Amino acid sequence: MSFSTTPAVLILEDGRTFHGSAYGAIGETTGEAVFVTAMTGYQETLTDPSYHRQIIIQAAPHIGNTGINRTDDESAQIWAAGYVVRDASRMSSNWRSEGDLVDWLRESGIVGISDVDTRALTRHLRDKGAMRMGIFSGPAAEAAESELLARVQASPQMAGANLVDEVSIRQPQLIPARGEKKFSVAAVDLGIKSMTPERLAERGIDVHLLPSTVTFEEIQALGVDGVFFSNGPGDPATADDQVELLRSVLDAKIPFFGICFGNQLLGRALGFGTYKLPFGHRGINVPVMDRTTGKVEITSQNHGFAVDAPLDGETTAPQSPDYGRVIVSHVCLNDDVVEGLACLDIPAFSVQFHPEAAAGPHDSAYLFDRFADLMSASQADSAAQA
């Protein structure tokens, strides 16, 4: 493992500046600044497609001590636009380690910065809200800070960004059921993490992983028992094609389960709006109440947008009375953000968090069982009507 002594500078779009050392590749990068509160799981975070075009700030101070391995990747590449750490571990020590984090970042071309006061940076974003940021090292950092700030301010914003097609697979894939096959599901890849189809397959479900551009007719041709929408990056207000696809699924009363971006799209399909959060929820320690059981779960989250729906009581779906009654099934105990939707008259539900939860926690794994139960009930209804 080799560490760079090359100076680096971090500049936020409001002009606040931090100086540190280059970490990973030398160069420059811009993106939305987001902080992650997890103390572990940095490899899963970096390879989560939901972080596309975002610069990750690790709130935990000591990063890299367990190295990296190829088993824990959530996709085939690092999607983060950049990386910010305070205390980069100078050695890695773990029986599963196959390499060092800093070398992996360098080989992947990820520009990062270390020796930064990430606590001050996180507090700044908490108070001022999410904003664009740039990291500059090597020759790129030699320009005047006013010029670097101008580059940051000229970079794309996350609001209005349509990114799902950039992270989705291009060709369908099949992840076969483990053991006896019980159901088959069409999983629309909007930025899916690799652990999600594994959690479905563990429950005897064939998973047809499909591109974000899939049509309803192509899903129908598969003869699946359910449809799943994954997590993903960008602004849900831009995903009009996927919203129309989902409405076709709801119209056909095919059981539906969505997580994260999929939750926001279910909200839109039902006629609710979405909005950008001040700084989002990112970490593996976010408390959520399942209002259907009264149970509090510690959840893994990564989202900067949320659904705007009434928190209390039943609501008739604004899009169409055919969709019937809807409730907010889950709510964040930190800030009352909508964390889940449940349709009472059609077979559809969603959550804002990540029940597959690599690298933990696993409080919400039961949601995959709930999806299986929904498909089972739908089959029983169809048999009764036949």
Side-chain angles (χ1 to χ4, degrees):
M1 181 189 301
S2 60
F3 278 83
S4 170
T5 57
T6 304
V9 60
L10 179 160
I11 299 182
L12 291 162
E13 71 171 278
D14 66 356
R16 184 155 186 188
T17 302
F18 293 79
H19 293 270
S21 305
Y23 184 61
I26 303 295
E28 67 177 273
T29 188
T30 57
E32 182 183 46
V34 298
F35 60 86
V36 177
T37 58
M39 295 182 68
T40 186
Y42 53 79
Q43 182 174 338
E44 292 88 342
T45 297
L46 284 164
T47 54
D48 180 350
S50 295
Y51 285 106
H52 181 38
R53 207 189 284 177
Q54 293 177 322
I55 298 176
I56 296 169
I57 302 156
Q58 293 281 181
H62 190 59
I63 298 296
N65 57 310
T66 59
I68 57 102
N69 63 74
R70 293 308 170 208
T71 303
D72 291 342
D73 287 350
E74 285 294 334
S75 68
Q77 67 180 79
I78 296 177
W79 284 101
Y83 204 46
V84 184
V85 302
R86 178 168 183 163
D87 179 15
S89 178
R90 303 199 70 82
M91 63 176 293
S92 58
S93 178
N94 185 275
W95 67 275
R96 300 173 69 239
S97 177
E98 299 172 6
D100 296 315
L101 174 57
V102 64
D103 295 333
W104 183 43
L105 293 169
R106 187 181 298 116
E107 293 162 6
S108 301
I110 305 302
V111 175
I113 185 171
S114 65
D115 304 320
V116 168
D117 187 346
T118 52
R119 185 169 186 265
L121 181 53
T122 297
R123 287 168 63 92
H124 185 76
L125 293 173
R126 182 200 65 184
D127 295 340
K128 304 298 184 182
M131 63 184 76
R132 291 164 292 176
M133 180 170 77
I135 301 173
F136 306 89
S137 58
E142 295 173 3
E145 289 186 2
S146 59
E147 179 182 333
L148 300 181
L149 176 59
R151 294 184 203 174
V152 173
Q153 293 173 339
S155 64
Q157 299 197 49
M158 191 57 66
N162 188 345
L163 303 178
V164 294
D165 291 345
E166 297 179 16
V167 300
S168 180
I169 58 170
R170 297 292 179 260
Q171 297 296 325
Q173 299 175 14
L174 174 64
I175 296 88
R178 307 286 186 265
E180 178 188 358
K181 176 190 170 184
K182 300 176 182 177
F183 306 103
S184 64
V185 163
V188 180
D189 177 12
L190 308 173
I192 200 167
K193 296 166 66 177
S194 63
M195 189 57 70
T196 304
E198 292 297 321
R199 291 288 180 255
L200 290 166
E202 289 168 357
R203 288 159 172 81
I205 299 172
D206 270 355
V207 182
H208 296 271
L209 192 58
L210 304 173
S212 61
T213 54
V214 67
T215 66
F216 181 63
E217 290 72 25
E218 290 169 332
I219 289 176
Q220 278 185 311
L222 293 171
V224 294
D225 303 300
V227 173
F228 173 84
F229 273 22
S230 77
N231 57 293
D235 187 342
T238 66
D240 293 339
D241 291 344
Q242 289 76 24
V243 169
E244 288 306 314
L245 170 63
L246 180 47
R247 284 176 179 155
S248 295
V249 171
L250 300 180
D251 291 340
K253 293 184 169 53
I254 301 173
F256 171 80
F257 176 31
I259 67 170
C260 200
F261 202 79
N263 175 69
Q264 295 158 15
L265 297 193
L266 178 59
R268 282 198 59 201
L270 294 171
F272 300 113
T274 57
Y275 65 98
K276 198 172 192 312
L277 293 166
F279 48 79
H281 299 163
R282 297 176 179 88
I284 59 175
N285 51 1
V286 183
V288 168
M289 175 174 282
D290 181 346
R291 289 175 154 185
T292 65
T293 63
K295 178 182 176 182
V296 175
E297 305 163 23
I298 302 303
T299 68
S300 173
Q301 300 203 13
N302 170 21
H303 66 107
F305 295 84
V307 176
D308 184 9
L311 286 177
D312 297 314
E314 299 176 1
T315 304
T316 299
Q319 175 65 23
S320 170
D322 293 340
Y323 294 152
R325 298 163 297 154
V326 183
I327 60 169
V328 171
S329 59
H330 296 72
V331 64
C332 182
L333 297 182
N334 286 338
D335 53 14
D336 288 335
V337 164
V338 172
E339 293 285 352
L341 298 168
C343 297
L344 304 182
D345 300 311
I346 57 174
F349 74 102
S350 60
V351 292
Q352 186 59 63
F353 46 93
H354 290 243
E356 85 290 338
H362 302 135
D363 297 19
S364 306
Y366 70 91
L367 289 163
F368 294 107
D369 298 317
R370 187 176 288 183
F371 186 32
D373 291 343
L374 194 66
M375 291 187 285
S376 180
S378 179
Q379 289 182 348
D381 288 344
S382 297
Q385 295 172 9

